Amino acid sequence: DVDGLELLLHLVGGANPPSIVLVASIREVASEPSTAFVRRARDALAALPITRVETLGRLAPPEARALVRALAPEASDAHMDAIVHAAEGIPLYLTELGVAAASSGAGDEVHDLETLIRDRFLALDEASKRVLSFTVIAARPTLRSVLLAAAFDAPSRAPAASAIAILEVNRLLLRETDPRGEAVRAYHAAVENVVLAHTDAGARAAIHVRLVDALEALGIGEPEELFHHTDLAGDTRRAAEHAERA
């Protein structure tokens, strides 16, 4: 992200930069801000001494076919060819289609990625849907303790904790390390798109309110994070207070 790039350039851009081995990746997204960031990151990294920048293309058809075969060994040749054609060499899409092909009763139909994720989302129990919705609306890696405190009242938190494991198994959520504890985020931008499509503006604002309440109650919210949620919740008074602290 932008902050990470700025930190990297600060560390290695001085007169006596440290010797480091850094392996970084940037996923291109078809949007103007993302395209500008990718261009800036490439230019900045290429200007550093002893830097090698590689562009990884899509998987070639034989590679794509081998990936799908490993995931769905029982798929017919015609079904596999359809998956390889539809996925256009994108590993995530190949993986999701391959897993779907291996599922019992999936048939030979090939869906687009968001349809696969939408069907998986709609099949979740209500607690898992709620956890994923709060994760997506948070729009950043969020501490598990904050997420459960925001999404559920105290008596419901213990049973709801299993929702995170369910979401991981369904490849809808990822865990991340955080100095303050375990954090989670959406598995992929396509997951975010599906959840946002099923969450109206009023529900989003209510989630932001509960997130900021949980952060304040636990005493771990940064001013910028608290401003972000109060602003999107439409609470101008609290947003102004947090903006001043930030």
Side-chain angles (χ1 to χ4, degrees), residues 92-129:
L92 174 72
Y93 198 180
L94 287 161
T95 300
E96 294 299 331
L97 289 173
V99 170
S103 301
S104 60
D108 287 349
E109 189 174 4
V110 177
H111 294 290
D112 62 85
L113 181 59
E114 290 201 4
T115 298
L116 288 173
I117 293 174
R118 181 204 65 200
D119 291 347
R120 203 177 303 156
F121 172 68
L122 294 177
L124 293 170
D125 61 88
E126 290 305 313
S128 297
K129 284 182 184 176

Side-chain angles (χ1 to χ4, degrees), residues 219-244:
I220 56 176
E222 295 293 333
E224 294 84 355
E225 186 177 16
L226 294 168
F227 168 75
H228 167 79
H229 290 303
T230 50
D231 182 49
L232 292 177
D235 190 336
T236 55
R237 181 188 61 79
R238 290 171 81 188
E241 291 174 357
H242 292 306
E244 185 175 348

Side-chain angles (χ1 to χ4, degrees), residues 71-219:
L71 294 167
E74 302 301 321
S76 66
D77 288 342
H79 192 190
M80 190 167 301
D81 288 341
I83 291 173
V84 170
H85 176 75
E88 299 180 334
I90 301 172
L92 174 72
Y93 198 180
L94 287 161
T95 300
E96 294 299 331
L97 289 173
V99 170
S103 301
S104 60
D108 287 349
E109 189 174 4
V110 177
H111 294 290
D112 62 85
L113 181 59
E114 290 201 4
T115 298
L116 288 173
I117 293 174
R118 181 204 65 200
D119 291 347
R120 203 177 303 156
F121 172 68
L122 294 177
L124 293 170
D125 61 88
E126 290 305 313
S128 297
K129 284 182 184 176
R130 188 168 177 83
V131 168
L132 187 58
S133 296
F134 273 68
T135 302
V136 168
I137 299 304
R140 64 190 67 195
T142 303
L143 288 175
R144 179 180 182 273
S145 56
V146 172
L147 191 65
L148 294 179
F152 303 100
D153 295 329
S156 306
R157 284 175 201 159
S162 62
I164 291 177
I166 292 170
L167 293 168
E168 280 190 295
V169 169
N170 282 279
R171 298 177 310 286
L172 296 170
L173 178 146
L174 288 172
R175 300 189 196 219
E176 287 194 352
T177 56
D178 185 289
R180 301 170 298 172
E182 180 184 285
V184 297
R185 65 175 176 86
Y187 187 83
H188 189 268
V191 175
E192 296 172 353
N193 293 340
V194 167
V195 172
L196 291 173
H198 288 81
T199 313
D200 62 34
R204 294 184 198 184
I207 289 173
H208 283 296
V209 170
R210 292 191 64 113
L211 283 166
V212 77
D213 286 346
L215 286 165
E216 289 180 335
L218 294 170

Side-chain angles (χ1 to χ4, degrees), residues 11-95:
L11 289 173
V12 301
N16 297 299
S19 298
I20 62 173
V21 175
L22 172 71
V23 179
S25 64
I26 302 173
R27 181 171 59 87
E28 297 194 37
V29 180
S31 68
E32 187 174 337
S34 176
T35 300
F37 171 71
V38 169
R39 187 182 304 114
R40 181 184 173 202
R42 282 181 174 163
D43 291 345
L45 293 173
L48 297 175
I50 322 177
T51 298
R52 187 166 119 187
V53 179
E54 298 281 353
T55 299
L56 300 179
R58 300 166 188 258
L59 293 182
E63 297 169 323
R65 192 177 180 86
L67 175 58
V68 177
R69 176 63 73 192
L71 294 167
E74 302 301 321
S76 66
D77 288 342
H79 192 190
M80 190 167 301
D81 288 341
I83 291 173
V84 170
H85 176 75
E88 299 180 334
I90 301 172
L92 174 72
Y93 198 180
L94 287 161
T95 300

